């Protein structure tokens, strides 16, 4: 890929703080952290950013899910971003619109996900122009997987699901920065995925009508936000159909909570 | 792929094309379309017309095959790196003569059946080669089947049939006169 190959691979020496003198010595980030000792003979941490580093917004705190069914692919995500125990944002857009018929989800490092998926969008468009036909979901996910594999071990942190509809039908692939690429009927990614899987696996049927599928996805994310501290905000729901994706709904988790408790007004009156 | 020109150059191109077909299958999880691999070969040839210390590939190629959707394709490339799609074409020293023959005789009826199409191809070549199956090679590619190369015997029998038909039509002409 032209752009990726122009970027110098991120060597640990290039990152500030490699030699033990973190650039922000005055600003001690909250959270557990080893006291910065003298830059002695201890080998430096290879590649990974220090946990609880306030400078980097990490999104491992996330719940995203997607599943295939007869009417396409349903994609649902939460919208909370955390840096340690600090809630950095409740309104993050974790679904990336690669093009009108391909969606990517975001889990892990926000910058990693959005950067690489934008690069993927560029590559997909070039493919479409050169070959006069849309890129398949399999090919798009493979391009992404091959792009990030070149940076394996250098600290990329990304777990994404590529969702679309091509001539083979609905397509869903899980791709991560370790180099995994899996095709499947249903995936959930993030710290809240364990809770979402519980709901999803219970209610899933391949021949569900669309409305039922939306309800299932919404419920799964809601339950995950209920139990996982690092997931919350809103539930963003998308549906990828034969003619492209549509954004189905955005629901605040607090309102969903009231709704599921049988209190649609949300004012505790019921 | 059929080619006319320097055999050694052709082997290089064929090898590169084979590797590219597999690479494409690996990254895109789909076999190449005939147009894609033609475009690849053509851009390879073009690169050699615009680089230091290299000479262009001395071959013209005819690339045939079926796409995934089942439609048959024929493409022709030349040393400059251009490529075009054709219903019928000829390359080589006597291409002009044979092309004229095809332009006259490539009709819907002539290609209606396998047998007729084979006869048309042989008749076209017989315009410029000395008679005899020993100077002709014939191959057919059918949808979802491997390439079938005709044996010398089959070609001889086809040639014999064609000669007979020619004689008969000439007899008829004489009679009418």
């Amino acid at each position: 890929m032209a752009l990726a190959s122009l970027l110098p691979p991120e060597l640990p020496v290039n990152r500030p703080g490699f030699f033990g003198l973190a650039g922000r010595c005055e600003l001690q980030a909250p959270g557990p952290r080893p006291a910065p000792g003298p830059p002695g003979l201890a080998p430096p941490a290879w590649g990974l950013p220090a946990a609880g580093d306030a400078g980097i917004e990490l999104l491992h705190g996330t719940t995203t899910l997607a599943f295939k069914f007869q009417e396409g692919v349903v994609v649902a995500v939460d919208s909370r971003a955390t840096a340690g125990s600090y809630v950095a944002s409740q309104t993050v857009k974790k679904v990336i619109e690669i093009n009108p018929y391909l969606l990517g989800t975001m889990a892990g490092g926000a910058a990693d996900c959005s950067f690489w998926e934008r690069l993927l969008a560029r590559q997909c468009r070039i493919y479409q122009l050169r070959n006069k036909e849309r890129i398949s979901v399999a090919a798009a996910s493979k391009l992404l997987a091959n792009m990030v594999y070149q940076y394996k071990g250098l600290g990329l942190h990304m777990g994404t699901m590529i969702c679309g509809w091509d001539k083979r039908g609905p397509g869903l692939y899980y791709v991560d920065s370790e180099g995994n690429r899996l095709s499947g009927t249903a995936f959930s990614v993030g710290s809240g995925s364990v809770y979402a899987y519980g709901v999803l696996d219970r209610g899933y049927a391949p021949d569900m009508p669309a409305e039922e599928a939306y309800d299932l996805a919404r419920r799964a994310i809601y339950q995950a936000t209920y139990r996982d501290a690092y997931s919350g905000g809103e539930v963003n729901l998308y549906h990828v159909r034969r003619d492209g994706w549509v954004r189905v709904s955005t629901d605040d988790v607090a309102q969903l909570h009231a709704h599921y408790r049988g209190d649609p007004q949300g004012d505790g009156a019921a | 792929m059929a080619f006319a020109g320097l055999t050694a150059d052709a082997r290089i191109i064929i090898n590169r094309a084979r590797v590219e077909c597999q690479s494409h299958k690996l990254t895109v999880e789909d076999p190449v379309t005939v147009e894609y691999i033609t475009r690849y070969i053509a851009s390879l040839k073009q690169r050699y017309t615009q680089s230091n210390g290299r000479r262009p590939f001395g071959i013209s190629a005819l690339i045939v095959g079926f796409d995934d959707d089942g439609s048959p394709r024929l493409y022709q490339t030349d040393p400059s790196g251009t490529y075009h799609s054709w219903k019928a074409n000829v390359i080589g020293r006597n291409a002009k003569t044979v092309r004229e023959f095809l332009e006259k005789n490539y009709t819907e009826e002539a290609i209606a059946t396998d047998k007729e199409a084979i006869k048309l191809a042989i008749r076209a070549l017989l315009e410029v080669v000395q008679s005899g199956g020993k100077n002709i090679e014939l191959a057919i590619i059918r949808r979802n089947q491997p390439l079938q190369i005709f044996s010398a015997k089959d070609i001889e029998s086809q040639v014999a049939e064609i000669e007979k038909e020619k004689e008969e039509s000439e007899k008829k002409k004489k009679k009418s006169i």
Side-chain angles (χ1 to χ4, degrees), chain A:
Chain A
M1 311 293 123
L3 216 89
S5 60
L6 286 172
L7 296 168
E10 238 259 72
L11 300 169
V13 285
N14 289 327
R15 206 174 294 120
F18 178 86
F19 295 107
L21 306 164
R24 291 165 266 102
C25 308
E26 316 84 54
L27 224 69
Q28 278 298 327
R33 200 183 193 183
L41 301 167
W46 182 259
L48 295 172
D53 194 337
I56 305 172
E57 255 173 43
L58 299 175
L59 279 179
H60 353 243
T62 271
T63 314
T64 61
L65 67 81
F67 58 85
K68 288 199 277 199
F69 71 122
Q70 49 142 359
E71 286 185 49
V73 189
V74 167
V75 184
V77 299
D78 77 314
S79 65
R80 177 175 289 185
T82 48
S85 55
Y86 171 68
V87 177
S89 170
Q90 293 269 59
T91 53
V92 178
K93 295 281 176 280
K94 298 188 188 179
V95 173
I96 294 154
E97 296 154 9
I98 296 171
N99 63 39
Y101 51 92
L102 272 181
L103 290 176
T105 62
M106 201 196 277
D112 287 340
C113 290
S114 61
F115 177 81
W116 289 104
E117 289 184 19
R118 283 199 82 196
L119 214 52
L120 178 63
R122 171 186 172 275
Q123 215 54 41
C124 290
R125 180 61 180 148
I126 290 176
Y127 180 100
Q128 191 180 351
L129 287 169
R130 286 187 179 147
N131 295 284
K132 294 181 198 154
E133 76 171 1
R134 284 183 184 174
I135 193 170
S136 65
V137 188
S141 59
K142 199 137 201 184
L143 287 179
L144 180 65
N146 289 339
M147 278 195 265
V148 298
Y149 187 71
Q150 294 180 307
Y151 289 79
K152 186 173 162 76
L154 295 176
L156 286 186
H157 196 59
M158 184 190 84
T160 181
M161 295 178 286
I162 305 294
C163 325
W165 190 312
D166 58 27
K167 66 182 184 210
R168 294 198 192 114
L172 176 60
Y173 284 82
Y174 165 75
V175 177
D176 72 18
S177 46
E178 298 297 297
N180 288 314
R181 174 178 167 270
L182 303 167
S183 170
T185 324
F187 288 107
S188 179
V189 181
S191 57
S193 62
V194 282
Y195 311 109
Y197 270 131
V199 177
L200 181 59
D201 293 334
R202 175 76 161 86
Y204 175 79
D207 54 357
M208 287 188 296
E211 281 302 325
E212 212 182 294
Y214 300 156
D215 283 336
L216 180 65
R218 219 176 274 127
R219 190 71 194 244
I221 297 283
Y222 160 75
Q223 295 296 157
T225 61
Y226 187 71
R227 283 292 177 181
D228 178 27
Y230 299 102
S231 302
E234 312 160 328
V235 179
N236 285 314
L237 195 69
Y238 287 73
H239 180 187
V240 187
R241 300 195 291 227
R242 184 189 301 270
D243 53 350
W245 57 259
V246 288
R247 186 171 176 164
V248 174
S249 63
T250 302
D251 294 287
D252 189 303
V253 159
Q255 285 173 2
L256 282 178
H257 177 78
H259 174 80
Y260 290 128
R261 289 246 170 304
D263 177 17
Q265 262 65 46
D267 56 4

Side-chain angles (χ1 to χ4, degrees), chain B residues 107-123:
Chain B
T107 58
E108 284 302 324
E109 321 171 315
I111 54 165
T113 65
D114 270 8
K115 283 210 83 182
E116 293 298 310
I118 294 171
K119 282 227 197 89
L120 176 67
I122 298 183
R123 274 165 53 214

